[in-house]
C-alpha cells in the first residue's frame, strides 16, 4: 500500500491495525483543533466587528450567536454518539469532528468519543481495504472482474439516463395554448 512502510505491511496484522489507528487519531485530532482554532478566529473577528458591517463581520456574527450556543450544547450532549458513528461514513467524518471542534466540545469528552471511532475505522479499513488491496495485487482475475463490473454499472447508468432523456423529449408539453372561442 502506498504510504505505509514495508515492515508494517509484511508484519503481523496488528501492526497495520495500530498504524491505521495512529493515522486516523492524528488526522482527527488535527481536524478538531483546526476547527477550534477557526472558531477562536471567528470569535475574535466578531468581537472586533461589533461596529463594522463588512462581509467578514456578518459571517463571524452568524457563527457566534445563539445558534452556535445551541450547537455547542447539542454536541456536548450527543457528540459521544455521533462522533464514533461518523467514522463508519464516507464524507461525514471530517464534518462531525470539525463541528465538534468548532462548537468547542470539551476536549476530554471528544477524545473519549473519538477513540472507539478510530478503532472502528481502522478495523473496517483493514478488513475491507487491505483485503481488497491484497486481492487486486495478487490476482489479475479479481482486477479484471472489478473492471468489468464497474464498466457494466457505468453502461447501465448511461443507458438509463439516455432513456429518461428520450422519454422526457417525447412527452407532449403539458402547457396548453389558450382556447379562443368565436
Amino acid at each position: 500500500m502506498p504510504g505505509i512502510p514495508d515492515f508494517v505491511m509484511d508484519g503481523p496484522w496488528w501492526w497495520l491495525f495500530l498504524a491505521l489507528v495512529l493515522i486516523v487519531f492524528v488526522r482527527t485530532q488535527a481536524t478538531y483543533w483546526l476547527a477550534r482554532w477557526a472558531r477562536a478566529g471567528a470569535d475574535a473577528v466578531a468581537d472586533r466587528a461589533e461596529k463594522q458591517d463588512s462581509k467578514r463581520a456578518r459571517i463571524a456574527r452568524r457563527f457566534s450567536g445563539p445558534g452556535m450556543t445551541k450547537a455547542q450544547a447539542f454536541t456536548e450532549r450527543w457528540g459521544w454518539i455521533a462522533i464514533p458513528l461518523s467514522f463508519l461514513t464516507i464524507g461525514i467524518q471530517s464534518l462531525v469532528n470539525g463541528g465538534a471542534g468548532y462548537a468547542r466540545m470539551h476536549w476530554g469528552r471528544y477524545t473519549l468519543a473519538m477513540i472507539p471511532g478510530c478503532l472502528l475505522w481502522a478495523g473496517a479499513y483493514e478488513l475491507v481495504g487491505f483485503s481488497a488491496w491484497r486481492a487486486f495485487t495478487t490476482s489479475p482475475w479479481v482486477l479484471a472482474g472489478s473492471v468489468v463490473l464497474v464498466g457494466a454499472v457505468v453502461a447501465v447508468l448511461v443507458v438509463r439516463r439516455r432513456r429518461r432523456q428520450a422519454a422526457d423529449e417525447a412527452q407532449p408539453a403539458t402547457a396548453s395554448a389558450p382556447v379562443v372561442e368565436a
Side-chain angles (χ1 to χ4, degrees), residues 164-181:
R164 194 175 324 125
Q165 286 176 348
D168 288 346
E169 290 173 4
Q171 193 174 32
T174 57
S176 60
V179 177
V180 179
E181 292 183 28

Side-chain angles (χ1 to χ4, degrees), residues 7 20 57-58 65 77 87 101 114 118 143 147 150 175:
F7 73 89
L20 292 172
R58 287 191 301 272
R77 182 172 178 158
F87 283 83
M114 184 197 71
C118 290
L143 182 60
V147 168
V150 168

Side-chain angles (χ1 to χ4, degrees), residues 42 45-46 49 54-65 102:
V45 169
S54 67
K55 184 175 183 178
R56 187 175 176 187
R58 287 191 301 272
I59 292 171
R61 281 193 296 269
R62 179 171 211 137
F63 283 111
S64 61
Y102 198 84

Side-chain angles (χ1 to χ4, degrees), residues 2-108:
I4 297 184
D6 288 336
F7 73 89
V8 171
M9 295 296 288
D10 297 334
W13 67 270
W14 55 269
W15 285 13
L16 179 61
F17 182 78
L18 289 177
L20 292 172
V21 169
L22 181 65
I23 289 167
V24 74
F25 183 87
V26 170
R27 187 193 75 190
T28 306
Q29 282 288 320
T31 303
Y32 171 84
W33 285 105
L34 185 63
R36 196 159 173 141
W37 173 74
R39 171 70 187 270
D43 287 348
V45 169
D47 290 342
R48 285 189 311 231
E50 292 293 327
K51 304 170 209 136
Q52 299 176 357
D53 195 34
S54 67
K55 184 175 183 178
R56 187 175 176 187
R58 287 191 301 272
I59 292 171
R61 281 193 296 269
R62 179 171 211 137
F63 283 111
S64 61
M68 186 50 67
T69 304
K70 285 182 184 178
Q72 185 174 357
F74 179 84
T75 305
E76 286 291 334
R77 182 172 178 158
W78 297 105
W80 63 275
I81 294 173
I83 290 169
L85 292 179
S86 73
F87 283 83
L88 298 176
T89 63
I90 297 173
I92 304 292
Q93 177 184 351
S94 295
L95 290 173
V96 170
N97 291 302
Y102 198 84
R104 292 188 182 141
M105 182 177 185
H106 185 268
W107 178 78

